[in-house]
């Protein structure tokens, strides 16, 4: 899979972030491991330290295995004002994990995120590459059960 | 030329200078922390902030160019307060146990705090303890002391082009580490130690081996000898408070005697020997159609770099061991036999301007008996300085004395080994004479001297014009190595030294090394050479005796065993 | 009418995915017009319009254009800053999702005027929908030769590539954004030189916000002078406001400059959701000031915002009703900046953490007078010494609350939690 992605991009340093994003998106456990970093560094002609500096700087990247679905909860002021705390509490209860953790079945990882840019639909969360807005407890339950069933 | 005012004083300064430069030229001191001469302007620490009349925010003096009519205040209450706050912020995230730190009294952060008169820290200590990196023989990394000034990243990434160290993570959790936050030794680190040389605190230091030397010196059973590299005699003075460029050879020898070494020898001797071996190797390669160009192999930083990044060029490296290792193997064989000492009881110490030499001495190939290292302990110039201070020696008051025999008679050619271009020049002084079979008229090869990154020269050898090149710092080495790799290098012989300026600018040299100090040390190096009676390695009589008594001939069987080595790809 | 729909005029009338809809509504006509104009005349038209950057800093748009046009280097870049990460802002997303060609047309006009050779849209990673829409839009524009080689037979070549952010607010800062496009961590560079001189890949680079580029076609259509007639003397044109928080109808509203904030909240936003009293409002986003209810008659105007000494111009209004605690909000803001600091300079890297710790003392009602003094001193030093806008504006909310809600601080000090 990694080799196929590398083929898609020019062997230029400036495509590093694009390559990492694409690879992590396709990878089941949503993280980038040391062997893969070595391969990417070699392919793009940069050092492993360079790749590591990028991965550790941007919050999208993870160096630890995560769940199949990444749930990001917005923690900024507009969501907070619209009862964002309930969103976190509800999700933690539904999934039985705290923010920062992955469910035992590797299905979900719960994370915080900075503002998602959907403050007009606060409170908001993002699951993988989809944003959900105007959340209520019932809506959250429905969303989670959908992911439990379909994925 | 812009007219400016600093603290009310009208000044006319050079166009295009920064506030910091303008202030310095006019004897006005602005404190700095991340700033380092000759490196990139980072403007990270913000400590050199000054006030520009009419502007709301403060500007950093290191990065701000002056303009006509600019009025600067370097010491207003607003500026002084900001500097204090910034320094306290740094201290609140720093292992500030100063009395238990190797840079106590020699630390730029400590000096800054003292200058600013910081008597308490208004901020909460937020340091989170992180593990040390002690996994290699050369360098220790203590992240708890790191103040994120970025100097080490700059030298590693830009000057050396190695890019092992970088800023990892973000926000308050940002740290400067190799990849995966782990070990230098896992990455393509050459242990050149330039990072340790520019670190303003003691976050990156040479791995201190002075205790091991004290142990050996006080072990009744041990015969402890020391060799001193050419570059140390023109830099140790700085450790003792002298100005850069002071030549302290004879006091240095006396100091080493006072420390208790049984014999004090000169690595210059094996530098002369290197020229004989390497010169003949070059001639043989030319004659026999061997791999060319040939690269010098004295510099362990360069050797690591080649083994890691240019394995296809390993045949281009001279097989000669470095002078340090030639000394080690001769000491454990020839010297031990001659003096009737059990090699197991012989402890060989070397004093080097270099941290990579510690790694070199630890290599498996550097053991003539297959088991014990030929060089037992390597100290840097800085560690020797420390030992002299620990001993309470008044360096200035020492009586001069000379190196011991037999490894004390040396040539001017060996003396210049420490400066970029020196090994090349020394080799040319011998090789031209051997090939052309007539005395060399001009011993000085000015073309290969100095601080320019890549230097070249043409020499007449037996009727042919041969091109040679010299590079210092690894980013320049890479340029020449790439040429060779691509097959379009015009050179027959290339000298590489990993550190800027060569060994005189080595990673183990006294702190505050800048291009200005490098130049002073280089000048001193050539002064040492010009004062020598013998200025060509093959004219060193003791070298002749050594070949007669023991080694037989350059590239001979015994030389091969003791003085040459091999290389391997390393990842 | 309180609203003045200029940039949002086509929204809901056209299908954003249909270039035909855009063309029928007059789209790309201004690009055609621009190509028939002297390049300098385009920049002069922008100058007459008095357009100022919509990303927050409100820098006059024509100066940047002229800066690049003057450079000798022939490789030049145009970059659209679509890294809208400031909490409370979502108007760029709205523009990209609903009228994407407008921004592209603006970029091509700017590229033509400055002879730029290549364009980039730096899009924040969280904007997945906008990413799909823009990819489609660029393809459509290419098919119709509004992008690509020899655009509309003019001999002018220009294309645009999308680059994704990967979760970093500071990449909205010009140089951090450039570093990120180059595949590096988003840490700013030392200025000078400025991006218009030495920018992306070391070449002259024009960086503008989505809304700024979207204004360009309208300026050419109306003429600079007519455009300048909208709004106020110091702030011409319209402003897209992102309205959120405790408000009945949150959303994006386009108003001419000079409209009172109160009108936007009450007349467009319908006031608070449940009729509670407004306690305070944060302007611009997390890096903006928090002002009390009695200041809501303040008008939306760059010059008035300058009084807050902060880059307030992005146009967010976050409404907070009487239930909201000042320190709870400051804590959220503090956590945001502490997390988003790139780590490069001391005041931002160390200061934001210390500031958060001090704010937490007030949240937990265990702060002393000394903490108050430290919070003020530290905020001032961060503002004055930080390398980029992030660190400089991180304490803005604190400054404003120290000014307008000082009694809350004093109350904590005088009545600590027992």
């Amino acid at each position: 899979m990694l080799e196929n992605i590398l083929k898609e991009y020019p062997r230029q340093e400036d495509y590093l972030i694009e390559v990492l994003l694409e690879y992590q998106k396709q990878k089941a456990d949503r993280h980038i491991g040391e062997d893969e970093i070595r391969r990417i560094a070699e392919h793009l002609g940069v050092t492993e330290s360079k790749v590591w500096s990028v991965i550790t700087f941007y919050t999208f990247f993870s160096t630890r295995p995560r769940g199949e679905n990444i749930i990001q909860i917005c923690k900024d002021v507009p969501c907070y004002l619209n009862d964002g705390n309930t969103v976190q509490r509800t999700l933690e209860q539904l999934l039985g994990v705290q923010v920062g953790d992955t469910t035992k079945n590797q299905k979900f990882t719960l994370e915080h995120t900075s503002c998602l840019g959907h403050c007009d639909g606060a409170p908001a969360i993002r699951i993988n590459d989809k944003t959900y807005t105007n959340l209520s407890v019932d809506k959250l339950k429905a969303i989670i059960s959908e992911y439990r069933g379909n994925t | 030329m812009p007219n400016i005012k600093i603290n009310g004083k009208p000044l006319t300064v050079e166009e295009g200078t920064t506030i910091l430069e303008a202030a310095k030229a006019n004897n006005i001191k602005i404190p700095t922390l991340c700033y380092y001469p000759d490196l990139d302007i980072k403007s990270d620490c913000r400590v050199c902030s000054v006030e520009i009349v009419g502007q709301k925010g403060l500007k950093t003096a290191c990065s701000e160019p002056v303009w006509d009519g600019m009025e600067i205040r370097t010491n207003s209450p607003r500026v002084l307060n900001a500097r204090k706050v910034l320094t306290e912020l740094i201290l609140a995230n720093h292992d500030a146990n100063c009395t238990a730190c190797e840079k106590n009294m020699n630390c730029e952060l400590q000096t800054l705090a003292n200058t600013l008169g910081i008597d308490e820290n208004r901020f909460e200590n937020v340091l989170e303890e992180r593990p040390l990196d002690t996994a290699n023989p050369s360098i220790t990394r203590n992240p708890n002391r790191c103040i994120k000034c970025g100097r080490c990243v700059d030298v590693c990434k830009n000057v050396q082009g190695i890019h092992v160290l970088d800023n990892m993570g973000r926000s308050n959790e940002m740290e400067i580490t190799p990849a995966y936050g782990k070990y230098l030794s896992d990455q393509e680190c050459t242990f050149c130690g330039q990072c340790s040389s520019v670190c303003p605190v003691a976050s990156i230091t040479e791995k201190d081996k002075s205790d091991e030397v004290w142990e050996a010196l006080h072990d009744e059973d041990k015969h402890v000898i020391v060799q001193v590299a050419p570059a140390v005699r023109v830099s140790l003075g700085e450790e003792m408070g002298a100005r850069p460029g002071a030549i302290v050879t004879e006091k240095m020898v006396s100091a080493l005697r006072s420390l208790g070494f049984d014999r004090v020898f000169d690595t210059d001797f094996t530098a002369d020997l290197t020229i004989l071996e390497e010169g003949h190797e070059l001639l043989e390669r030319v004659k026999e159609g061997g791999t060319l160009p040939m690269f010098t192999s004295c510099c362990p930083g360069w050797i690591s770099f080649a083994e890691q990044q240019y394995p296809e060029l390993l045949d281009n490296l001279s097989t000669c061991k470095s002078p340090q290792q030639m000394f080690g193997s001769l000491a454990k064989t020839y010297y031990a036999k001659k003096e009737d000492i059990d090699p197991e009881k012989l402890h060989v110490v070397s004093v080097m301007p270099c941290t990579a030499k510690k790694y070199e001495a630890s290599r498996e190939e550097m053991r003539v008996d297959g088991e014990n290292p030929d060089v037992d302990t390597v100290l840097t110039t800085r560690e020797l300085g420390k030992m002299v201070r620990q001993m309470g020696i008044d360096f200035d008051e020492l009586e001069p004395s000379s190196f011991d025999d037999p490894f004390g008679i040396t040539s001017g050619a060996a003396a210049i080994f420490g400066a970029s271009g020196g090994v090349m020049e020394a080799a040319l002084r011998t090789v031209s004479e051997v090939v052309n079979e007539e005395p060399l008229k001009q011993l000085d090869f000015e073309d290969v001297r100095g601080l320019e990154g890549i230097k070249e020269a043409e020499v007449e050898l037996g009727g042919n014009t041969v091109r040679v090149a010299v590079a210092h710092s690894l980013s320049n080495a890479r340029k020449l190595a790439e040429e060779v790799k691509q097959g379009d290098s015009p050179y027959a012989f290339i000298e590489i030294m990993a550190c800027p300026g060569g060994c005189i600018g080595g990673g183990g040299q006294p702190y505050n090394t800048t291009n200005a100090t490098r130049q002073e040390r280089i000048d001193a190096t050539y002064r040492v050479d010009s004062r020598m009676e013998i200025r060509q390695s093959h004219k060193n009589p003791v070298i002749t005796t050594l070949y007669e008594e023991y080694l037989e001939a350059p590239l001979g069987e015994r030389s091969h065993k003791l003085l040459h080595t091999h290389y391997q790809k390393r990842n | 009418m309180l609203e003045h729909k200029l940039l949002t005029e086509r929204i809901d009338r056209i299908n954003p995915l249909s270039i035909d809809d855009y063309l029928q509504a007059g789209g790309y006509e201004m690009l055609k017009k621009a190509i028939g104009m002297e390049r300098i005349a385009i920049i002069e038209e922008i100058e007459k319009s008095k357009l100022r950057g919509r990303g927050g800093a409100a820098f006059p748009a024509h100066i940047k254009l002229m800066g690049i046009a003057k450079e000798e280097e022939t490789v030049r870049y145009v970059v659209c800053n679509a890294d809208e990460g400031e909490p409370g802002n979502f108007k760029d997303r709205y523009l990209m999702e609903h009228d994407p060609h407008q921004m592209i047309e603006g970029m091509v006009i700017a590229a033509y005027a400055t002879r730029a050779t290549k364009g980039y849209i730096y899009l924040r990673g969280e904007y997945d929908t906008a990413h799909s829409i823009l990819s489609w839009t660029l393809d459509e524009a290419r098919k119709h030769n509004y992008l690509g080689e020899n655009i509309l037979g003019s001999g002018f070549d220009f294309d645009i590539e999308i680059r994704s952010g990967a979760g970093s607010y500071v990449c909205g800062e010009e140089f951090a954004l450039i570093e990120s496009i180059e595949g590096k961590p988003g840490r700013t560079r030392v200025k000078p030189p400025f991006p218009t001189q030495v920018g992306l890949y070391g070449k002259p680079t024009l960086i503008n916000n989505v809304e700024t580029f979207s204004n360009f076609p309208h300026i050419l259509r109306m003429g600079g002078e007519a455009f300048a007639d909208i709004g106020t003397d110091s702030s011409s044109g319209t402003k897209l406001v992102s309205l959120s928080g405790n408000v009945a109808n949150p959303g994006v509203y386009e108003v001419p400059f000079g409209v009172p904030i109160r009108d936007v909240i009450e007349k467009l936003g319908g006031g608070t959701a449940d009729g509670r009293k407004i306690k305070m409002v944060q302007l611009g986003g997390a890096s903006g000031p928090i002002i009390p209810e009695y200041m809501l008659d303040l008008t939306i105007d760059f010059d008035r915002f300058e009084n807050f000494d902060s880059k307030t111009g992005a146009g967010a209004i976050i409404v907070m009703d009487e239930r909201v605690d000042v320190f709870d909000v400051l804590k959220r803001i503090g956590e945001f900046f502490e997390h988003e600091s790139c780590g490069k300079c001391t005041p931002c890297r160390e200061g934001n953490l210390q500031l958060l710790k001090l704010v937490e003392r007030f949240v937990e009602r265990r702060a002393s007078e000394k903490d108050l003094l430290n919070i003020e001193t530290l905020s001032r030093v961060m503002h004055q010494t930080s390398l980029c806008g992030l660190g400089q504006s991180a304490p803005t909310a604190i400054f404003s609350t120290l000014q307008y809600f000082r009694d809350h601080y004093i109350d904590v000090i005088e009545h600590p939690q027992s």
Side-chain angles (χ1 to χ4, degrees):
Chain A
M1 181 170 74
L2 178 57
E3 294 305 321
N4 287 336
I5 292 168
L6 290 175
K7 261 188 273 168
E8 294 287 306
Y9 290 92
R11 293 180 85 139
Q12 280 169 228
E13 195 174 347
D14 56 340
Y15 285 98
L16 174 59
I17 293 171
E18 298 284 322
V19 167
L20 293 171
L21 281 173
E22 188 57 35
Y23 180 60
Q24 192 176 256
K25 194 191 256 181
Q26 291 186 24
K27 210 180 162 208
D29 61 5
R30 309 274 183 175
H31 95 292
I32 299 167
E34 293 190 13
D35 288 342
E36 294 137 14
I37 288 172
R38 257 171 233 125
R39 178 70 193 103
I40 292 167
E42 183 194 31
H43 181 84
L44 295 176
V46 299
T47 64
E48 292 165 56
S49 297
K50 161 75 193 270
V51 181
W52 188 254
S53 75
V54 166
I55 290 180
T56 54
F57 182 84
Y58 293 101
T59 56
F60 277 20
F61 302 122
S62 177
T63 56
R64 288 182 307 158
R66 292 184 290 178
E68 209 178 306
N69 301 293
I70 313 292
I71 305 179
Q72 296 177 301
I73 307 166
C74 174
K75 60 179 165 52
D76 285 314
V77 171
C79 281
Y80 165 72
L81 295 172
N82 285 284
D83 209 12
N85 286 348
T86 304
V87 173
Q88 178 171 342
R89 215 167 32 242
T90 306
L91 284 170
E92 284 179 341
Q93 274 169 9
L94 281 172
L95 301 173
V97 291
Q98 303 286 301
V99 168
D101 293 340
T102 299
T103 56
K104 271 199 191 116
N105 63 4
Q106 311 296 317
K107 200 126 194 171
F108 297 98
T109 296
L110 210 49
E111 294 178 355
H112 272 145
T113 175
S114 291
C115 181
L116 293 167
H118 283 266
C119 321
D120 49 344
I125 61 167
R126 182 172 179 243
I127 304 184
N128 307 328
D129 48 12
K130 199 163 176 219
T131 302
Y132 296 85
T133 55
N134 297 309
L135 299 168
S136 60
V137 173
D138 286 344
K139 202 166 167 183
L140 283 168
K141 280 182 183 163
I143 293 166
I144 295 302
S145 76
E146 191 187 324
Y147 276 86
R148 277 191 173 132
N150 294 349
T151 53
Chain B
M1 295 221 297
N3 292 301
I4 63 169
K5 273 187 188 170
I6 301 183
N7 303 334
K9 189 178 160 195
L11 301 166
T12 304
V13 297
E14 289 288 324
E15 185 87 47
T17 53
T18 61
I19 296 173
L20 187 65
E21 288 161 344
K24 201 177 168 203
N26 288 283
N27 212 14
I28 297 162
K29 197 165 160 47
I30 298 172
T32 56
L33 194 53
C34 68
Y35 172 81
Y36 197 87
D38 318 321
L39 294 183
D40 279 354
I41 298 296
K42 287 164 274 293
S43 194
D44 287 349
C45 74
R46 317 300 288 174
V47 162
C48 67
S49 288
V50 295
E51 189 175 334
I52 296 165
V53 174
Q55 294 190 7
K56 279 185 190 166
L58 302 177
K59 288 278 159 58
T60 46
C62 66
S63 64
E64 198 66 12
V66 296
W67 34 265
D68 195 48
M70 190 183 225
E71 272 189 63
I72 302 146
R73 289 184 188 143
T74 69
N75 56 7
S76 64
R78 187 152 77 101
V79 167
L80 294 179
N81 178 58
R83 281 187 199 141
K84 257 189 162 172
V85 167
L86 292 166
T87 308
E88 286 172 37
L89 285 171
I90 293 169
L91 287 166
N93 198 359
H94 172 75
D95 176 1
N97 190 2
C98 293
T99 48
C101 173
E102 48 268 62
K103 283 186 95 170
N104 186 21
M105 308 287 282
N106 191 18
C107 165
E108 293 180 46
L109 178 60
Q110 195 183 39
T111 307
L112 179 69
N114 180 269
T115 310
L116 296 174
I118 289 172
D119 45 15
E120 66 165 332
N121 198 332
R122 74 195 85 185
F123 301 114
E124 189 178 325
N125 189 302
V126 291
L127 179 71
E128 280 178 31
E129 286 269 341
R130 293 180 162 100
L132 273 51
D133 175 3
T134 56
N136 69 79
S138 293
I139 295 163
T140 302
R141 234 174 19 86
N142 181 342
N144 304 310
R145 292 179 182 151
C146 178
I147 59 169
K148 288 94 176 175
C149 71
R151 288 180 187 175
C152 57
V153 176
D154 192 6
V155 283
C156 187
K157 195 154 100 179
N158 302 324
V159 176
Q160 299 296 56
I162 301 293
H163 199 170
V164 163
L165 288 172
D166 208 339
N167 298 292
M168 307 303 181
R170 57 149 88 167
S171 76
N172 203 266
E173 282 156 18
M174 186 186 84
E175 28 174 5
I176 294 174
T177 69
Y180 320 114
K182 289 185 190 160
Y183 304 113
L184 289 168
S185 45
D186 290 345
Q187 298 300 314
E188 289 176 335
C189 177
T190 63
F191 308 124
C192 76
Q194 285 297 315
C195 50
S196 72
S197 147
V198 296
C199 181
V201 292
S203 181
I204 307 182
T205 53
E206 66 276 10
K207 199 170 225 181
D208 190 345
K209 287 285 174 187
S210 51
D211 282 349
E212 191 174 294
V213 175
W214 286 126
E215 289 278 332
L217 287 170
H218 289 88
D219 186 336
E220 301 272 310
D221 285 344
K222 287 268 167 74
H223 179 79
V224 188
I225 64 174
V226 62
Q227 55 164 322
V228 192
V232 177
R233 67 208 65 192
V234 294
S235 62
L236 181 69
E238 293 165 47
E239 283 289 318
M240 301 297 128
R243 57 168 180 78
I247 300 166
V248 297
T249 320
E250 291 165 320
K251 284 186 192 284
M252 174 183 79
V253 172
S254 301
L256 288 163
R257 287 224 172 82
S258 308
L259 293 180
F261 287 101
D262 294 306
R263 294 282 190 286
V264 180
F265 292 129
D266 196 347
T267 312
D268 284 19
F269 178 80
T270 39
D272 277 331
L273 187 58
T274 301
I275 289 302
L276 279 257
E277 292 291 327
E278 203 166 88
H280 282 90
E281 186 186 354
L282 177 66
L283 293 176
E284 193 183 84
R285 284 182 188 228
V286 172
K287 209 163 76 190
E288 312 279 324
T291 310
L292 288 173
M294 185 176 87
F295 284 105
T296 56
S297 56
C298 306
C299 170
W302 154 241
I303 294 300
S304 293
F305 179 78
E307 289 185 324
Q308 289 162 353
Q309 308 212 14
Y310 291 93
E312 55 278 80
L313 301 187
L314 295 182
D315 285 343
N316 294 76
L317 298 180
S318 161
T319 59
C320 287
K321 287 181 184 172
S322 69
Q324 164 177 277
Q325 294 307 138
M326 284 196 184
F327 182 96
S329 54
L330 282 181
K332 291 282 169 87
T333 54
Y334 171 74
Y335 174 77
K337 197 170 157 197
K338 199 174 156 105
E339 298 289 313
D340 195 21
I341 301 165
D342 175 2
E344 302 255 329
K345 292 188 172 158
L346 177 62
H347 192 100
V348 179
V349 175
S350 64
V351 183
M352 296 282 141
C354 179
T355 49
K357 286 282 171 194
K358 290 175 185 264
Y359 163 72
E360 182 185 58
S362 76
R363 289 170 70 125
E364 292 293 322
E365 313 87 80
M366 301 302 168
R367 294 157 195 225
V368 278
D369 66 359
E371 200 178 325
N372 300 299
D374 297 337
V375 175
D376 296 280
T377 313
V378 181
L379 298 175
T380 61
T381 311
R382 295 195 292 262
E383 286 164 272
L384 175 58
K386 186 162 110 180
M387 289 182 73
V388 174
R389 288 192 295 271
Q390 281 175 345
M391 188 79 178
I393 295 170
D394 186 340
F395 194 76
D396 288 341
E397 294 301 312
L398 285 169
E399 287 295 324
S401 63
S402 309
F403 286 110
D404 289 310
D405 289 336
F407 306 136
I409 307 291
T410 60
S411 80
I416 59 174
F417 255 59
S420 166
V423 176
M424 178 59 72
E425 183 168 344
L428 294 179
R429 285 182 191 176
T430 288
V431 170
S432 334
E433 213 164 273
V434 170
V435 174
N436 298 337
E437 291 178 343
E438 57 181 61
L440 199 57
K441 287 186 205 86
Q442 176 55 268
L443 286 182
D444 295 343
F445 289 81
E446 297 282 351
D447 287 353
V448 296
R449 297 184 180 181
L451 282 172
E452 202 183 319
I454 295 176
K455 296 163 280 189
E456 14 165 56
E458 288 185 351
V459 282
E460 294 298 322
L461 287 185
N464 297 320
T465 306
V466 172
R467 294 178 71 181
V468 300
V470 171
H472 59 110
S473 88
L474 289 168
S475 55
N476 290 319
R478 187 188 295 280
K479 290 177 195 158
L480 294 182
E482 276 300 320
E483 266 182 11
V484 177
K485 190 174 159 183
Q486 304 306 327
D488 38 45
S489 176
Y491 308 113
F493 187 30
I494 299 174
E495 176 208 288
I496 306 278
M497 294 190 192
C499 290
C503 313
I504 53 92
Q509 290 283 55
Y511 292 120
N512 305 314
T513 298
T514 64
N515 279 342
T517 37
R518 285 185 188 103
Q519 190 59 55
E520 295 286 353
R521 293 178 195 154
I522 289 170
D523 293 345
T525 298
Y526 291 106
R527 280 204 303 282
V528 172
D529 166 38
S530 66
R531 288 175 196 165
M532 299 290 274
E533 256 171 69
I534 309 163
R535 293 187 61 207
Q536 288 166 292
S537 299
H538 61 286
K539 292 191 177 156
N540 181 339
V542 187
I543 294 283
T544 314
T545 312
L546 177 66
Y547 276 111
E548 283 167 7
E549 270 185 15
Y550 193 67
L551 293 171
E552 292 162 10
L555 310 181
E557 204 186 312
R558 195 164 258 165
S559 290
H560 187 76
K561 182 168 178 288
L562 296 181
L563 310 180
H564 291 257
T565 184
H566 58 275
Y567 308 104
Q568 65 194 69
K569 184 179 172 177
R570 285 172 211 264
N571 280 34
Chain C
M1 275 289 279
L2 194 52
E3 283 183 277
H4 185 128
K5 293 194 174 183
L6 198 64
L7 274 57
T8 55
E9 193 269 331
R10 276 180 296 261
I11 290 178
D12 295 335
R13 281 207 298 122
I14 62 167
N15 174 357
L17 294 178
S18 162
I19 192 167
D20 290 334
D21 275 16
Y22 184 68
L23 291 173
Q24 264 168 26
Y28 289 111
E29 285 302 320
M30 291 308 117
L31 174 59
K32 287 179 196 159
K33 183 177 175 184
I35 283 170
M37 289 167 75
E38 289 285 324
R39 287 185 157 89
I40 187 75
I42 301 172
I43 300 175
E44 282 166 359
E45 216 51 49
I46 305 288
E47 183 173 5
K48 280 183 214 156
S49 78
K50 298 185 185 168
L51 178 72
R52 292 168 72 175
R54 302 298 199 236
F59 194 74
H62 72 276
I63 296 182
K64 278 195 200 173
L65 286 163
M66 196 52 108
I68 295 184
K70 275 196 320 220
E71 288 291 324
E72 279 173 20
E73 173 63 54
T74 51
V75 178
R76 301 144 186 224
Y77 297 105
V78 165
V79 176
C80 179
N81 185 347
D83 192 48
E84 186 178 47
E86 180 81 43
N89 285 272
F90 42 91
K91 47 99 183 167
D92 289 342
R93 176 177 62 77
Y94 184 75
L95 286 176
M96 290 186 285
E97 287 180 359
H98 294 95
D99 195 355
H101 281 289
Q102 172 173 256
M103 164 187 120
I104 307 292
E105 187 175 359
M107 282 182 77
V108 186
I109 291 170
Y112 181 77
T114 56
R115 294 177 197 270
T117 43
K118 171 115 198 243
Y120 291 90
I121 298 169
Y122 185 82
L123 181 66
R124 71 178 304 211
E126 290 85 350
Y127 281 0
D128 307 288
T129 307
H131 194 288
S132 319
I133 291 175
L134 284 172
S135 299
W136 169 267
T137 304
L138 291 173
D139 278 343
E140 292 279 288
R142 262 178 225 120
K143 277 183 208 154
H144 286 74
N145 196 222
Y146 298 121
L147 281 176
E149 286 176 16
N150 190 18
I151 293 172
L152 304 174
S154 63
F156 173 61
D157 304 337
F158 181 73
D159 209 336
I160 298 173
E161 199 178 310
I162 303 174
R163 290 298 180 90
S164 298
S168 164
Y169 161 76
V170 74
C171 286
E173 194 275 338
E174 300 186 305
F175 265 132
L177 184 152
I178 285 174
E179 291 277 312
S180 188
I181 294 182
E182 291 180 3
K184 302 170 189 163
R187 294 198 183 91
T188 193
R189 299 178 190 165
V190 179
K191 294 175 195 171
F194 294 91
T196 49
Q197 304 164 303
V198 183
L200 185 59
Y201 306 114
K203 307 295 182 191
T205 305
L206 174 75
I207 306 180
N208 276 322
N209 170 263
V210 172
E211 188 183 346
T212 312
F213 277 124
S214 298
N215 269 296
F216 286 4
H218 299 282
I219 292 168
L220 290 194
R221 181 171 54 77
M222 300 171 66
E225 278 160 22
F227 183 93
D229 284 343
I230 308 171
T232 66
D233 281 351
S234 67
S235 310
S236 66
T238 63
K239 186 75 202 78
L240 266 67
V241 173
S242 309
L243 182 64
S244 70
N246 302 132
V247 62
N249 305 310
V252 175
Y253 299 98
E254 186 175 12
V255 295
F257 279 99
V259 164
I261 292 165
R262 189 186 300 282
D263 286 2
V264 176
I265 297 170
E266 286 176 0
K267 295 184 182 157
L268 299 175
T272 55
D274 39 20
R276 287 176 200 273
K277 276 194 191 147
I278 296 174
K279 178 174 185 177
M280 53 197 173
V281 163
Q282 189 170 27
L283 300 176
S287 65
I290 295 174
I291 59 170
E293 193 275 340
Y294 65 80
M295 285 180 74
L296 292 184
D297 294 319
L298 187 79
T299 55
I300 295 174
D301 187 312
F302 289 133
D303 274 8
R304 297 196 186 252
F305 289 166
E306 261 170 29
N307 295 335
F308 298 112
D309 205 6
S310 150
K311 297 177 175 63
T312 310
I317 296 177
I318 305 166
V319 181
M320 302 178 222
D321 69 29
E322 57 193 355
R323 294 167 301 177
V324 180
D325 179 72
V326 172
F327 298 114
D328 280 345
V329 170
L330 290 179
K331 182 172 181 231
R332 295 271 159 171
I333 295 168
E335 284 169 346
F336 172 76
F337 285 113
E338 197 281 319
H339 179 65
E340 296 294 347
S341 167
C342 83
K344 185 173 159 72
C345 76
T346 308
C348 186
R349 180 186 65 244
E350 307 295 340
N352 274 307
L353 177 62
Q354 296 289 352
L355 209 50
L356 178 59
K357 288 189 172 289
L358 288 164
V359 167
E360 278 167 347
R361 287 168 173 266
F362 283 91
V363 172
E364 291 155 18
R365 300 190 76 85
R366 53 183 180 88
S368 66
E369 213 156 323
K370 205 176 143 200
D371 293 322
L372 178 59
L373 188 65
N374 286 346
I375 226 173
E376 288 193 282
T377 307
L378 177 57
S379 297
R380 200 163 52 241
V381 171
M382 285 171 66
H383 178 64
Q384 291 179 354
T385 64
S386 290
L387 179 56
C388 84
L390 189 151
Q392 288 162 13
S393 60
T396 305
I398 290 181
F399 281 132
S400 56
T401 52
L402 282 166
Q403 190 173 354
Y404 305 119
F405 297 92
R406 199 174 187 86
D407 52 330
H408 289 59
Y409 289 86
I410 304 296
D411 184 63
V412 168
I413 294 166
E414 286 178 354
H415 305 97
Q417 182 90 292
S418 50

